[in-house]
Amino acid sequence: MVTLKDLAEQLNVSISTVSKALHNSEEISPETIARVKALAEHLNYKPNKVAISLKNNTTNTIGVIIPNILNHFFAKALYAIEEEASSHGYNIITCLSDEKKSKEMNSLQLLSDGSVDGFIMSIAEESQIDNDTEHIKAILNQNIPIVLFDRVSDDIICDKVIIDDFGAAFEATKHLLSEGRKHIVLISDIDNLSVGKLRTNGYVQALTENEDYKETPIVVTISKNEVADQKINVLFKEYPLIDGIIAIDNTSGVIALQKAFKLNYNVPEDLSIIGFSDDNVLQFTDPKLSTVSQHTIDIGKASVNLFIDRLNNKAQNSTKTKIIKTKLILRDTTKPVF
Amino acid sequence: MVTLKDLAEQLNVSISTVSKALHNSEEISPETIARVKALAEHLNYKPNKVAISLKNNTTNTIGVIIPNILNHFFAKALYAIEEEASSHGYNIITCLSDEKKSKEMNSLQLLSDGSVDGFIMSIAEESQIDNDTEHIKAILNQNIPIVLFDRVSDDIICDKVIIDDFGAAFEATKHLLSEGRKHIVLISDIDNLSVGKLRTNGYVQALTENEDYKETPIVVTISKNEVADQKINVLFKEYPLIDGIIAIDNTSGVIALQKAFKLNYNVPEDLSIIGFSDDNVLQFTDPKLSTVSQHTIDIGKASVNLFIDRLNNKAQNSTKTKIIKTKLILRDTTKPVF
DNA sequence: CTGAAAGCGCTAACAT
DNA sequence: ATGTTAGCGCTTTCAG
């Protein structure tokens, strides 16, 4: 790389003159500025980022820790974070925790060596199950900012971006009730997670506060080592009267729809299904799945903006929690509303 | 952050003594080493990464430029790259080109300010369509290493990781011929891309060199602003005799299967389908789609390893192209082989 | 065995 | 208008 020193030597001026010239300092004569800039342009000079980071003690880089990039929700969140960050002049260093506490901890520790100005992250499943977030608090204690999104913890005091998980599931369930459904089942492969628990509570609440609904809530959980396919097949066998499904994760709704179709349920006449999927799965469903849209792009953007606000005002000790609105999008797997 | 200076002051020794002690230098007395290490441990000292980067003129960071993170192939490639890189002590800075030449160029230029030691990337669609890769060559000319994966260009001389696209499609097509299929159609939403063209050529070649096959090859391309759903529906209308489909992109095979099912084709009795999808889509298909597996994890890992080899031997001017083997995985949308 | 000094590339206060 | 110097945090050569 070309350095200020190189330019200075070739022009027979001092390094600081070159530096000032490139910054259009008033102190430098217009002719010198022109000469310097011409040569800089010609040699494709770029200020060395590392040197500037060292000088300023700031990197303009955000560490982003994602539990699972193969989950479309997180891929889309990453997309939004990258876009918003780069539009503000920030780079992102991406780490994947693979849902493991050890990898999450490792990434936090490694990058808190001055590599990044702070973190945007969603908590790994393992950390949530163990409810062990000491490694995250340790970073905050070093005064390194963190924004948590989606999967958060009440134990951690920092800026957060979430959706109203409880309300979203509550509303979706209410909708099925308004259709007159009497046997509504919830399917989840994320019952370990904060968001999963909240959504389940929303579902249960909607059912129990409805006086006409007699059934007890039924929650079908699919664990890591189970095959969703089979579990959902069993579900249909066990509850043949099922007439409503709330699927609170990314994929179960689609799978349930496929199975229902195979089993000759009429959707949405006999059975309504609402998923929490992103719209990428719609290409694979016919009829089109009704979903709770999580506005993932907004979640990503809001995270970056909270992060930048925090950097600009590190001292401020009140934290913000931004709640992104969800939207129930009724497509073809719920009855049309009149 | 705690610095060497902080440690030195507290211990009443010089900075260089502290530095040497932490590196177990022979020059330093065991007692001093112990004292220094104890305090370093106690204060959670970490060498400042930025300072080390400046000193060594190397960042241990790879710039990764991905055309579209919402495409599962690239998400998986990124997953593998991150894993392999971090296991070798490298961080990755992720940029998303969004298939745009401008964003690709921007990322390359911004990060070639010393932020990264080089790049691993797949070329944006727009750059491939325009066949404009000057911005990539410009980086190579600055002696910054680049490894291209999947979407490559013969014009660019650098290390590459690809699959045998021609051969993979050739083999898949041959398989359908061996089933006795007489009306085999190729579906593609990537006919703009190097890989799309090669796969199409493989399909055409397999058909034309088969003497018993009478039909002319039929290539159905789906462009960005078309809806795959509809285009594939039209396809079935136009070619009712269709008995074989090769879908060379990530999603078309799944969609074709759904449509065939709706139209009451018997798969695989009347119609065989082979996709290039990753196995994440299998949960959405029943019968399970037969696919060409691209071994995406291997592609990512190989890219990182080629990159690190290059860094260790920057001078070497012969470039390597690594071809990752594909595998035709016959599931339920092709006839069983005996 | 320990310390001083230079240098990585840059900026900025302080001379001249 | 231009140059000198110090310093960001670290390593390393050279002196003591």
Side-chain angles (χ1 to χ4, degrees):
Chain A
M1 278 185 52
V2 181
T3 66
L4 288 184
K5 193 176 171 189
D6 297 331
L7 298 179
E9 280 170 2
Q10 292 200 36
L11 292 166
N12 274 312
V13 295
S14 75
I15 292 176
S16 63
T17 300
V18 175
S19 173
K20 287 171 186 165
L22 290 172
H23 289 89
N24 297 310
S25 165
E26 306 261 299
E27 295 179 4
I28 308 294
S29 73
E31 307 84 61
T32 310
I33 291 185
R35 283 205 312 143
V36 169
K37 285 194 168 177
L39 185 64
E41 172 91 347
H42 179 239
L43 296 182
N44 189 28
Y45 167 80
K46 281 179 220 155
N48 183 307
K49 178 79 177 304
V50 175
I52 291 176
S53 291
L54 181 62
K55 186 91 180 81
N56 296 347
N57 195 27
T58 174
T59 59
N60 271 258
T61 302
I62 310 172
V64 179
I65 306 178
I66 300 283
N68 174 10
I69 191 65
L70 300 180
N71 176 323
H72 192 266
F73 170 79
F74 286 119
K76 197 158 182 177
L78 181 65
Y79 170 84
I81 291 170
E82 197 276 342
E83 174 146 300
E84 189 71 8
S86 91
S87 84
H88 287 277
Y90 282 81
N91 289 320
I92 63 171
I93 289 189
T94 308
C95 297
L96 307 177
S97 67
D98 245 341
E99 304 287 12
K100 301 220 191 337
K101 184 171 64 188
S102 60
K103 289 199 73 179
E104 181 174 86
M105 192 171 356
N106 200 240
S107 299
L108 284 168
Q109 280 170 359
L110 286 179
L111 292 186
S112 58
D113 63 355
S115 295
V116 299
D117 295 340
F119 296 91
I120 293 175
M121 64 183 290
S122 196
I123 303 178
E125 183 177 13
E126 198 186 349
S127 306
Q128 284 216 323
I129 293 175
D130 300 356
N131 195 25
D132 181 356
T133 54
E134 290 306 318
H135 53 299
I136 300 176
K137 292 182 205 161
I139 301 297
L140 287 166
N141 285 339
Q142 294 167 50
N143 205 24
I144 298 175
I146 298 180
V147 174
L148 293 179
F149 74 93
D150 193 56
R151 300 190 197 159
V152 301
S153 164
D154 289 340
D155 294 351
I156 303 174
I157 297 163
C158 69
D159 296 318
K160 298 170 190 173
V161 178
I162 53 176
I163 63 171
D164 175 12
D165 290 290
F166 179 95
F170 183 83
E171 188 196 352
T173 309
K174 283 278 233 189
H175 178 82
L176 296 189
L177 289 168
S178 78
E179 286 184 342
R181 301 303 182 185
K182 298 296 178 202
H183 306 276
I184 304 172
V185 173
L186 178 141
I187 306 178
S188 163
D189 70 10
I190 52 170
D191 60 308
N192 289 321
L193 304 178
S194 55
V195 295
K197 296 196 176 89
L198 290 168
R199 291 174 198 172
T200 302
N201 292 345
Y203 155 82
V204 171
Q205 177 72 24
L207 294 189
T208 51
E209 80 178 34
N210 183 301
E211 300 186 347
D212 299 335
Y213 194 85
K214 310 295 184 196
E215 292 272 326
T216 45
I218 298 171
V219 174
V220 175
T221 63
I222 300 163
S223 60
K224 269 272 150 56
N225 43 19
E226 290 176 319
V227 181
D229 253 41
Q230 294 167 11
K231 192 89 185 227
I232 290 172
N233 258 335
V234 170
L235 159 68
F236 279 113
K237 293 245 162 62
E238 262 180 71
Y239 306 104
L241 290 177
I242 185 170
D243 60 4
I245 293 178
I246 304 277
I248 63 169
D249 61 72
N250 260 269
T251 53
S252 300
V254 184
I255 299 169
L257 176 57
Q258 310 267 359
K259 292 302 164 208
F261 194 64
K262 284 270 170 188
L263 295 170
N264 289 316
Y265 281 83
N266 285 319
V267 177
E269 291 79 7
D270 307 340
L271 169 66
S272 283
I273 304 177
I274 297 177
F276 269 69
S277 311
D278 212 329
D279 51 14
N280 72 307
V281 301
L282 295 180
Q283 57 185 334
F284 300 141
T285 73
D286 184 0
K288 299 294 177 215
L289 187 67
S290 296
T291 60
V292 174
S293 168
Q294 300 169 68
H295 298 294
T296 314
I297 297 292
D298 294 338
I299 294 175
K301 283 188 194 293
S303 302
V304 173
N305 289 318
L306 269 191
F307 181 84
I308 293 175
D309 287 353
R310 172 64 49 181
L311 280 190
N312 293 336
N313 201 347
K314 232 173 162 177
Q316 176 181 357
N317 50 16
S318 75
T319 65
K320 288 187 204 140
T321 293
K322 179 137 192 180
I323 299 175
I324 303 294
K325 289 234 182 322
T326 61
K327 188 166 180 198
L328 179 58
I329 300 181
L330 301 174
R331 297 195 184 84
D332 312 332
T333 62
T334 43
K335 290 187 191 170
V337 181
F338 300 102
Chain B
M1 279 185 51
V2 181
T3 66
L4 289 185
K5 194 176 170 188
D6 297 330
L7 299 180
E9 281 170 1
Q10 293 200 36
L11 293 166
N12 274 312
V13 294
S14 74
I15 292 175
S16 59
T17 300
V18 175
S19 174
K20 287 171 186 166
L22 290 172
H23 289 89
N24 296 311
S25 164
E26 307 262 299
E27 295 178 5
I28 307 295
S29 73
E31 305 84 63
T32 310
I33 291 186
R35 282 205 314 142
V36 169
K37 286 193 168 177
L39 185 63
E41 172 89 348
H42 179 239
L43 296 182
N44 190 27
Y45 167 80
K46 282 179 218 154
N48 183 308
K49 178 79 177 305
V50 174
I52 291 176
S53 292
L54 182 62
K55 187 90 181 86
N56 296 346
N57 196 28
T58 173
T59 60
N60 271 258
T61 302
I62 311 172
V64 179
I65 306 179
I66 300 284
N68 175 10
I69 191 66
L70 301 180
N71 176 324
H72 192 266
F73 170 79
F74 286 119
K76 197 158 181 176
L78 181 65
Y79 170 84
I81 290 170
E82 197 275 343
E83 173 147 298
E84 190 72 6
S86 91
S87 84
H88 288 278
Y90 282 80
N91 289 320
I92 62 171
I93 288 189
T94 309
C95 297
L96 307 177
S97 68
D98 245 341
E99 304 287 11
K100 302 222 191 331
K101 183 169 66 188
S102 60
K103 289 198 73 178
E104 180 174 86
M105 190 170 358
N106 200 241
S107 299
L108 284 168
Q109 280 169 1
L110 286 179
L111 291 187
S112 58
D113 63 353
S115 296
V116 298
D117 294 341
F119 296 91
I120 294 175
M121 63 183 290
S122 196
I123 303 177
E125 183 177 15
E126 199 186 349
S127 306
Q128 284 215 323
I129 293 175
D130 300 355
N131 196 25
D132 180 356
T133 55
E134 291 305 319
H135 52 299
I136 300 176
K137 291 182 206 160
I139 301 296
L140 287 166
N141 286 339
Q142 295 167 50
N143 204 24
I144 298 175
I146 298 180
V147 173
L148 292 179
F149 74 94
D150 193 54
R151 301 189 196 158
V152 302
S153 163
D154 290 340
D155 294 352
I156 303 174
I157 298 164
C158 69
D159 296 317
K160 297 170 190 171
V161 178
I162 53 176
I163 63 169
D164 175 12
D165 290 290
F166 179 94
F170 182 84
E171 188 196 351
T173 309
K174 282 278 232 189
H175 178 83
L176 295 189
L177 288 168
S178 78
E179 287 184 342
R181 300 304 182 186
K182 297 297 179 201
H183 305 277
I184 304 172
V185 173
L186 179 142
I187 306 178
S188 165
D189 70 10
I190 52 169
D191 60 308
N192 289 321
L193 304 178
S194 55
V195 295
K197 296 196 175 87
L198 290 167
R199 292 174 197 172
T200 303
N201 291 346
Y203 155 80
V204 172
Q205 176 73 23
L207 293 189
T208 51
E209 79 177 35
N210 183 300
E211 299 187 347
D212 299 335
Y213 194 85
K214 310 296 185 194
E215 291 274 325
T216 45
I218 298 172
V219 174
V220 175
T221 63
I222 299 163
S223 60
K224 270 272 152 55
N225 44 19
E226 289 175 320
V227 180
D229 253 41
Q230 294 166 11
K231 193 91 185 224
I232 289 171
N233 259 336
V234 170
L235 158 67
F236 280 113
K237 293 247 162 60
E238 262 179 71
Y239 307 104
L241 291 177
I242 185 171
D243 60 5
I245 293 177
I246 303 276
I248 62 168
D249 61 72
N250 260 268
T251 54
S252 300
V254 184
I255 299 169
L257 175 58
Q258 311 266 359
K259 293 300 164 208
F261 193 65
K262 284 269 170 188
L263 295 170
N264 289 316
Y265 282 82
N266 286 319
V267 177
E269 291 78 7
D270 306 340
L271 169 66
S272 283
I273 303 177
I274 297 178
F276 269 69
S277 310
D278 211 328
D279 51 14
N280 72 307
V281 300
L282 295 180
Q283 56 185 333
F284 300 141
T285 73
D286 185 0
K288 298 294 175 214
L289 188 67
S290 295
T291 61
V292 174
S293 168
Q294 300 169 69
H295 297 296
T296 314
I297 297 293
D298 294 339
I299 294 175
K301 283 188 194 290
S303 302
V304 172
N305 289 317
L306 269 190
F307 181 84
I308 293 175
D309 287 353
R310 172 64 50 180
L311 281 190
N312 292 336
N313 201 347
K314 233 174 161 175
Q316 177 181 356
N317 49 16
S318 75
T319 65
K320 287 187 204 142
T321 293
K322 179 137 193 180
I323 299 175
I324 304 294
K325 289 232 181 323
T326 61
K327 187 166 180 197
L328 179 58
I329 300 180
L330 301 174
R331 298 195 184 84
D332 311 332
T333 62
T334 42
K335 290 186 191 170
V337 180
F338 300 104

